[in-house]
PDB file of all heavy atoms in Angstrom:
ATOM      1  N   GLY O   1      -9.987  -9.911  10.139  1.00 73.00           N
ATOM      2  CA  GLY O   1      -9.169  -9.132   9.290  1.00 73.00           C
ATOM      3  C   GLY O   1      -9.038  -9.744   7.879  1.00 73.00           C
ATOM      4  O   GLY O   1      -8.509  -9.103   6.956  1.00 73.00           O
ATOM      5  N   ASN O   2      -9.525 -10.959   7.672  1.00 76.00           N
ATOM      6  CA  ASN O   2      -9.501 -11.587   6.333  1.00 76.00           C
ATOM      7  C   ASN O   2     -10.719 -11.207   5.492  1.00 76.00           C
ATOM      8  O   ASN O   2     -10.818 -11.613   4.349  1.00 76.00           O
ATOM      9  CB  ASN O   2      -9.458 -13.134   6.507  1.00 76.00           C
ATOM     10  CG  ASN O   2      -8.170 -13.617   7.113  1.00 76.00           C
ATOM     11  OD1 ASN O   2      -7.077 -13.130   6.779  1.00 76.00           O
ATOM     12  ND2 ASN O   2      -8.277 -14.537   8.070  1.00 76.00           N
ATOM     13  N   ASP O   3     -11.668 -10.415   6.111  1.00 80.00           N
ATOM     14  CA  ASP O   3     -12.850  -9.998   5.412  1.00 80.00           C
ATOM     15  C   ASP O   3     -12.530  -8.889   4.429  1.00 80.00           C
ATOM     16  O   ASP O   3     -11.483  -8.249   4.430  1.00 80.00           O
ATOM     17  CB  ASP O   3     -13.911  -9.510   6.397  1.00 80.00           C
ATOM     18  CG  ASP O   3     -14.359 -10.641   7.320  1.00 80.00           C
ATOM     19  OD1 ASP O   3     -14.141 -11.799   6.990  1.00 80.00           O
ATOM     20  OD2 ASP O   3     -14.914 -10.303   8.416  1.00 80.00           O
ATOM     21  N   GLY O   4     -13.504  -8.611   3.528  1.00 85.00           N
ATOM     22  CA  GLY O   4     -13.404  -7.451   2.663  1.00 85.00           C
ATOM     23  C   GLY O   4     -12.917  -7.851   1.262  1.00 85.00           C
ATOM     24  O   GLY O   4     -12.544  -8.992   0.996  1.00 85.00           O
ATOM     25  N   ALA O   5     -12.955  -6.849   0.360  1.00 95.00           N
ATOM     26  CA  ALA O   5     -12.622  -7.048  -1.039  1.00 95.00           C
ATOM     27  C   ALA O   5     -11.233  -6.438  -1.284  1.00 95.00           C
ATOM     28  O   ALA O   5     -10.252  -6.896  -0.717  1.00 95.00           O
ATOM     29  CB  ALA O   5     -13.678  -6.430  -1.923  1.00 95.00           C
ATOM     30  N   PHE O   6     -11.122  -5.468  -2.129  1.00 97.00           N
ATOM     31  CA  PHE O   6      -9.837  -4.890  -2.469  1.00 97.00           C
ATOM     32  C   PHE O   6      -9.984  -3.372  -2.645  1.00 97.00           C
ATOM     33  O   PHE O   6     -11.100  -2.837  -2.739  1.00 97.00           O
ATOM     34  CB  PHE O   6      -9.284  -5.549  -3.719  1.00 97.00           C
ATOM     35  CG  PHE O   6     -10.102  -5.300  -4.997  1.00 97.00           C
ATOM     36  CD1 PHE O   6      -9.753  -4.301  -5.857  1.00 97.00           C
ATOM     37  CD2 PHE O   6     -11.170  -6.073  -5.295  1.00 97.00           C
ATOM     38  CE1 PHE O   6     -10.536  -4.012  -6.974  1.00 97.00           C
ATOM     39  CE2 PHE O   6     -11.955  -5.834  -6.391  1.00 97.00           C
ATOM     40  CZ  PHE O   6     -11.608  -4.829  -7.300  1.00 97.00           C
ATOM     41  N   LEU O   7      -8.849  -2.681  -2.700  1.00 97.00           N
ATOM     42  CA  LEU O   7      -8.892  -1.240  -2.854  1.00 97.00           C
ATOM     43  C   LEU O   7      -7.610  -0.840  -3.530  1.00 97.00           C
ATOM     44  O   LEU O   7      -6.661  -1.616  -3.745  1.00 97.00           O
ATOM     45  CB  LEU O   7      -9.048  -0.556  -1.493  1.00 97.00           C
ATOM     46  CG  LEU O   7      -8.072  -0.940  -0.403  1.00 97.00           C
ATOM     47  CD1 LEU O   7      -6.785  -0.127  -0.465  1.00 97.00           C
ATOM     48  CD2 LEU O   7      -8.684  -0.753   0.986  1.00 97.00           C
ATOM     49  N   GLY O   8      -7.488   0.452  -3.879  1.00 97.00           N
ATOM     50  CA  GLY O   8      -6.295   1.033  -4.466  1.00 97.00           C
ATOM     51  C   GLY O   8      -5.722   1.992  -3.419  1.00 97.00           C
ATOM     52  O   GLY O   8      -6.371   2.774  -2.813  1.00 97.00           O
ATOM     53  N   VAL O   9      -4.392   1.895  -3.212  1.00 98.00           N
ATOM     54  CA  VAL O   9      -3.618   2.870  -2.463  1.00 98.00           C
ATOM     55  C   VAL O   9      -2.978   3.793  -3.440  1.00 98.00           C
ATOM     56  O   VAL O   9      -2.052   3.357  -4.210  1.00 98.00           O
ATOM     57  CB  VAL O   9      -2.619   2.250  -1.517  1.00 98.00           C
ATOM     58  CG1 VAL O   9      -1.933   3.316  -0.666  1.00 98.00           C
ATOM     59  CG2 VAL O   9      -3.295   1.221  -0.595  1.00 98.00           C
ATOM     60  N   ALA O  10      -3.406   5.053  -3.524  1.00 98.00           N
ATOM     61  CA  ALA O  10      -2.890   6.034  -4.464  1.00 98.00           C
ATOM     62  C   ALA O  10      -1.438   6.448  -4.041  1.00 98.00           C
ATOM     63  O   ALA O  10      -1.064   6.241  -2.906  1.00 98.00           O
ATOM     64  CB  ALA O  10      -3.816   7.215  -4.489  1.00 98.00           C
ATOM     65  N   PRO O  11      -0.742   7.099  -4.958  1.00 98.00           N
ATOM     66  CA  PRO O  11       0.638   7.551  -4.616  1.00 98.00           C
ATOM     67  C   PRO O  11       0.718   8.412  -3.378  1.00 98.00           C
ATOM     68  O   PRO O  11       1.662   8.252  -2.622  1.00 98.00           O
ATOM     69  CB  PRO O  11       1.049   8.326  -5.889  1.00 98.00           C
ATOM     70  CG  PRO O  11       0.277   7.646  -6.998  1.00 98.00           C
ATOM     71  CD  PRO O  11      -1.004   7.316  -6.406  1.00 98.00           C
ATOM     72  N   ASN O  12      -0.254   9.263  -3.123  1.00 98.00           N
ATOM     73  CA  ASN O  12      -0.210  10.067  -1.931  1.00 98.00           C
ATOM     74  C   ASN O  12      -0.314   9.204  -0.666  1.00 98.00           C
ATOM     75  O   ASN O  12       0.320   9.468   0.350  1.00 98.00           O
ATOM     76  CB  ASN O  12      -1.334  11.138  -1.919  1.00 98.00           C
ATOM     77  CG  ASN O  12      -2.671  10.571  -2.213  1.00 98.00           C
ATOM     78  OD1 ASN O  12      -2.907  10.039  -3.316  1.00 98.00           O
ATOM     79  ND2 ASN O  12      -3.642  10.747  -1.346  1.00 98.00           N
ATOM     80  N   GLY O  13      -1.082   8.086  -0.733  1.00 98.00           N
ATOM     81  CA  GLY O  13      -1.136   7.181   0.373  1.00 98.00           C
ATOM     82  C   GLY O  13       0.120   6.351   0.506  1.00 98.00           C
ATOM     83  O   GLY O  13       0.650   6.081   1.591  1.00 98.00           O
ATOM     84  N   MET O  14       0.625   5.886  -0.687  1.00 98.00           N
ATOM     85  CA  MET O  14       1.886   5.075  -0.642  1.00 98.00           C
ATOM     86  C   MET O  14       3.040   5.860  -0.078  1.00 98.00           C
ATOM     87  O   MET O  14       3.914   5.350   0.673  1.00 98.00           O
ATOM     88  CB  MET O  14       2.211   4.625  -2.044  1.00 98.00           C
ATOM     89  CG  MET O  14       1.271   3.547  -2.665  1.00 98.00           C
ATOM     90  SD  MET O  14       1.198   2.036  -1.601  1.00 98.00           S
ATOM     91  CE  MET O  14       2.885   1.483  -1.710  1.00 98.00           C
ATOM     92  N   ASN O  15       3.044   7.219  -0.347  1.00 98.00           N
ATOM     93  CA  ASN O  15       4.140   8.001   0.236  1.00 98.00           C
ATOM     94  C   ASN O  15       3.995   8.186   1.760  1.00 98.00           C
ATOM     95  O   ASN O  15       5.019   8.329   2.429  1.00 98.00           O
ATOM     96  CB  ASN O  15       4.159   9.355  -0.471  1.00 98.00           C
ATOM     97  CG  ASN O  15       4.856   9.281  -1.887  1.00 98.00           C
ATOM     98  OD1 ASN O  15       5.792   8.530  -2.030  1.00 98.00           O
ATOM     99  ND2 ASN O  15       4.287  10.032  -2.820  1.00 98.00           N
ATOM    100  N   VAL O  16       2.791   8.136   2.281  1.00 98.00           N
ATOM    101  CA  VAL O  16       2.595   8.110   3.709  1.00 98.00           C
ATOM    102  C   VAL O  16       3.167   6.781   4.289  1.00 98.00           C
ATOM    103  O   VAL O  16       3.860   6.751   5.299  1.00 98.00           O
ATOM    104  CB  VAL O  16       1.162   8.279   4.139  1.00 98.00           C
ATOM    105  CG1 VAL O  16       0.963   8.060   5.613  1.00 98.00           C
ATOM    106  CG2 VAL O  16       0.655   9.683   3.750  1.00 98.00           C
ATOM    107  N   LEU O  17       2.885   5.685   3.577  1.00 98.00           N
ATOM    108  CA  LEU O  17       3.411   4.393   3.998  1.00 98.00           C
ATOM    109  C   LEU O  17       4.941   4.390   3.987  1.00 98.00           C
ATOM    110  O   LEU O  17       5.571   3.773   4.814  1.00 98.00           O
ATOM    111  CB  LEU O  17       2.840   3.278   3.129  1.00 98.00           C
ATOM    112  CG  LEU O  17       1.335   3.037   3.202  1.00 98.00           C
ATOM    113  CD1 LEU O  17       0.929   1.918   2.247  1.00 98.00           C
ATOM    114  CD2 LEU O  17       0.835   2.796   4.573  1.00 98.00           C
ATOM    115  N   ASP O  18       5.503   5.109   3.021  1.00 98.00           N
ATOM    116  CA  ASP O  18       6.957   5.233   2.957  1.00 98.00           C
ATOM    117  C   ASP O  18       7.467   5.964   4.200  1.00 98.00           C
ATOM    118  O   ASP O  18       8.482   5.552   4.773  1.00 98.00           O
ATOM    119  CB  ASP O  18       7.329   5.972   1.654  1.00 98.00           C
ATOM    120  CG  ASP O  18       8.783   5.834   1.329  1.00 98.00           C
ATOM    121  OD1 ASP O  18       9.378   4.775   1.677  1.00 98.00           O
ATOM    122  OD2 ASP O  18       9.362   6.779   0.714  1.00 98.00           O
ATOM    123  N   GLU O  19       6.778   7.050   4.560  1.00 98.00           N
ATOM    124  CA  GLU O  19       7.179   7.801   5.784  1.00 98.00           C
ATOM    125  C   GLU O  19       7.043   6.891   7.041  1.00 98.00           C
ATOM    126  O   GLU O  19       7.833   7.049   7.951  1.00 98.00           O
ATOM    127  CB  GLU O  19       6.297   9.043   5.932  1.00 98.00           C
ATOM    128  CG  GLU O  19       6.448  10.112   4.856  1.00 98.00           C
ATOM    129  CD  GLU O  19       7.758  10.793   4.947  1.00 98.00           C
ATOM    130  OE1 GLU O  19       8.207  11.149   6.064  1.00 98.00           O
ATOM    131  OE2 GLU O  19       8.350  11.029   3.886  1.00 98.00           O
ATOM    132  N   ALA O  20       6.113   5.973   7.032  1.00 98.00           N
ATOM    133  CA  ALA O  20       5.896   5.101   8.150  1.00 98.00           C
ATOM    134  C   ALA O  20       6.828   3.880   8.117  1.00 98.00           C
ATOM    135  O   ALA O  20       6.858   3.116   9.134  1.00 98.00           O
ATOM    136  CB  ALA O  20       4.435   4.613   8.176  1.00 98.00           C
ATOM    137  N   GLY O  21       7.569   3.693   7.045  1.00 98.00           N
ATOM    138  CA  GLY O  21       8.481   2.543   7.009  1.00 98.00           C
ATOM    139  C   GLY O  21       7.812   1.255   6.568  1.00 98.00           C
ATOM    140  O   GLY O  21       8.386   0.184   6.733  1.00 98.00           O
ATOM    141  N   VAL O  22       6.576   1.319   6.011  1.00 98.00           N
ATOM    142  CA  VAL O  22       5.845   0.077   5.649  1.00 98.00           C
ATOM    143  C   VAL O  22       5.555  -0.021   4.156  1.00 98.00           C
ATOM    144  O   VAL O  22       4.836  -0.970   3.722  1.00 98.00           O
ATOM    145  CB  VAL O  22       4.563  -0.108   6.496  1.00 98.00           C
ATOM    146  CG1 VAL O  22       4.878  -0.272   7.930  1.00 98.00           C
ATOM    147  CG2 VAL O  22       3.629   1.092   6.248  1.00 98.00           C
ATOM    148  N   ARG O  23       6.109   0.891   3.392  1.00 98.00           N
ATOM    149  CA  ARG O  23       5.855   0.826   1.936  1.00 98.00           C
ATOM    150  C   ARG O  23       6.260  -0.508   1.289  1.00 98.00           C
ATOM    151  O   ARG O  23       5.510  -1.136   0.537  1.00 98.00           O
ATOM    152  CB  ARG O  23       6.538   1.981   1.211  1.00 98.00           C
ATOM    153  CG  ARG O  23       6.446   1.885  -0.296  1.00 98.00           C
ATOM    154  CD  ARG O  23       7.121   3.131  -0.952  1.00 98.00           C
ATOM    155  NE  ARG O  23       7.419   2.834  -2.344  1.00 98.00           N
ATOM    156  CZ  ARG O  23       8.002   3.739  -3.170  1.00 98.00           C
ATOM    157  NH1 ARG O  23       8.259   4.941  -2.736  1.00 98.00           N
ATOM    158  NH2 ARG O  23       8.287   3.381  -4.414  1.00 98.00           N
ATOM    159  N   ALA O  24       7.450  -0.986   1.642  1.00 98.00           N
ATOM    160  CA  ALA O  24       7.943  -2.201   1.034  1.00 98.00           C
ATOM    161  C   ALA O  24       7.087  -3.378   1.380  1.00 98.00           C
ATOM    162  O   ALA O  24       6.798  -4.262   0.552  1.00 98.00           O
ATOM    163  CB  ALA O  24       9.382  -2.479   1.457  1.00 98.00           C
ATOM    164  N   ALA O  25       6.601  -3.457   2.651  1.00 98.00           N
ATOM    165  CA  ALA O  25       5.717  -4.549   3.030  1.00 98.00           C
ATOM    166  C   ALA O  25       4.420  -4.518   2.291  1.00 98.00           C
ATOM    167  O   ALA O  25       3.851  -5.578   1.949  1.00 98.00           O
ATOM    168  CB  ALA O  25       5.466  -4.444   4.548  1.00 98.00           C
ATOM    169  N   VAL O  26       3.898  -3.359   2.014  1.00 98.00           N
ATOM    170  CA  VAL O  26       2.651  -3.265   1.286  1.00 98.00           C
ATOM    171  C   VAL O  26       2.844  -3.559  -0.208  1.00 98.00           C
ATOM    172  O   VAL O  26       2.062  -4.284  -0.837  1.00 98.00           O
ATOM    173  CB  VAL O  26       1.994  -1.878   1.443  1.00 98.00           C
ATOM    174  CG1 VAL O  26       0.837  -1.642   0.488  1.00 98.00           C
ATOM    175  CG2 VAL O  26       1.508  -1.697   2.905  1.00 98.00           C
ATOM    176  N   GLU O  27       3.941  -3.049  -0.761  1.00 98.00           N
ATOM    177  CA  GLU O  27       4.243  -3.357  -2.194  1.00 98.00           C
ATOM    178  C   GLU O  27       4.394  -4.844  -2.429  1.00 98.00           C
ATOM    179  O   GLU O  27       4.091  -5.374  -3.480  1.00 98.00           O
ATOM    180  CB  GLU O  27       5.460  -2.596  -2.629  1.00 98.00           C
ATOM    181  CG  GLU O  27       5.231  -1.096  -2.833  1.00 98.00           C
ATOM    182  CD  GLU O  27       6.446  -0.387  -3.290  1.00 98.00           C
ATOM    183  OE1 GLU O  27       7.596  -0.850  -3.048  1.00 98.00           O
ATOM    184  OE2 GLU O  27       6.316   0.696  -3.930  1.00 98.00           O
ATOM    185  N   ALA O  28       4.918  -5.564  -1.399  1.00 98.00           N
ATOM    186  CA  ALA O  28       5.183  -6.996  -1.531  1.00 98.00           C
ATOM    187  C   ALA O  28       3.895  -7.804  -1.693  1.00 98.00           C
ATOM    188  O   ALA O  28       3.947  -8.951  -2.226  1.00 98.00           O
ATOM    189  CB  ALA O  28       5.947  -7.515  -0.360  1.00 98.00           C
ATOM    190  N   VAL O  29       2.788  -7.261  -1.264  1.00 98.00           N
ATOM    191  CA  VAL O  29       1.469  -7.998  -1.319  1.00 98.00           C
ATOM    192  C   VAL O  29       0.445  -7.239  -2.190  1.00 98.00           C
ATOM    193  O   VAL O  29      -0.732  -7.468  -2.047  1.00 98.00           O
ATOM    194  CB  VAL O  29       0.882  -8.267   0.096  1.00 98.00           C
ATOM    195  CG1 VAL O  29       1.761  -9.251   0.827  1.00 98.00           C
ATOM    196  CG2 VAL O  29       0.773  -6.968   0.872  1.00 98.00           C
ATOM    197  N   SER O  30       0.910  -6.357  -3.036  1.00 98.00           N
ATOM    198  CA  SER O  30       0.024  -5.583  -3.905  1.00 98.00           C
ATOM    199  C   SER O  30       0.476  -5.609  -5.338  1.00 98.00           C
ATOM    200  O   SER O  30       1.585  -6.136  -5.661  1.00 98.00           O
ATOM    201  CB  SER O  30      -0.100  -4.116  -3.422  1.00 98.00           C
ATOM    202  OG  SER O  30       1.186  -3.488  -3.401  1.00 98.00           O
ATOM    203  N   VAL O  31      -0.270  -5.038  -6.246  1.00 98.00           N
ATOM    204  CA  VAL O  31       0.031  -5.067  -7.671  1.00 98.00           C
ATOM    205  C   VAL O  31      -0.118  -3.669  -8.252  1.00 98.00           C
ATOM    206  O   VAL O  31      -1.075  -2.974  -7.960  1.00 98.00           O
ATOM    207  CB  VAL O  31      -0.949  -6.002  -8.417  1.00 98.00           C
ATOM    208  CG1 VAL O  31      -0.635  -6.056  -9.920  1.00 98.00           C
ATOM    209  CG2 VAL O  31      -0.905  -7.389  -7.842  1.00 98.00           C
ATOM    210  N   ARG O  32       0.860  -3.242  -9.030  1.00 98.00           N
ATOM    211  CA  ARG O  32       0.865  -1.876  -9.595  1.00 98.00           C
ATOM    212  C   ARG O  32      -0.217  -1.779 -10.689  1.00 98.00           C
ATOM    213  O   ARG O  32      -0.357  -2.648 -11.537  1.00 98.00           O
ATOM    214  CB  ARG O  32       2.253  -1.585 -10.196  1.00 98.00           C
ATOM    215  CG  ARG O  32       2.368  -0.291 -10.969  1.00 98.00           C
ATOM    216  CD  ARG O  32       2.279   0.956 -10.079  1.00 98.00           C
ATOM    217  NE  ARG O  32       3.216   0.878  -8.978  1.00 98.00           N
ATOM    218  CZ  ARG O  32       4.538   1.183  -8.999  1.00 98.00           C
ATOM    219  NH1 ARG O  32       5.066   1.528 -10.146  1.00 98.00           N
ATOM    220  NH2 ARG O  32       5.275   1.092  -7.914  1.00 98.00           N
TER     221      ARG O  32
END
């Protein structure tokens, strides 16, 4: 799971993460 490069999570994806209750956890390790 440490493999790979990077990607962008678009607002439509971030809003799904919000529905799942994990948006804050993802924002804590990402950059706007």
Side-chain angles (χ1 to χ4, degrees):
N2 295 316
D3 296 342
F6 64 97
L7 54 87
V9 182
N12 49 301
M14 291 301 298
N15 283 322
V16 171
L17 297 180
D18 196 30
E19 295 289 319
V22 295
R23 172 178 161 178
V26 170
E27 286 181 336
V29 291
S30 61
V31 181
R32 174 69 51 81

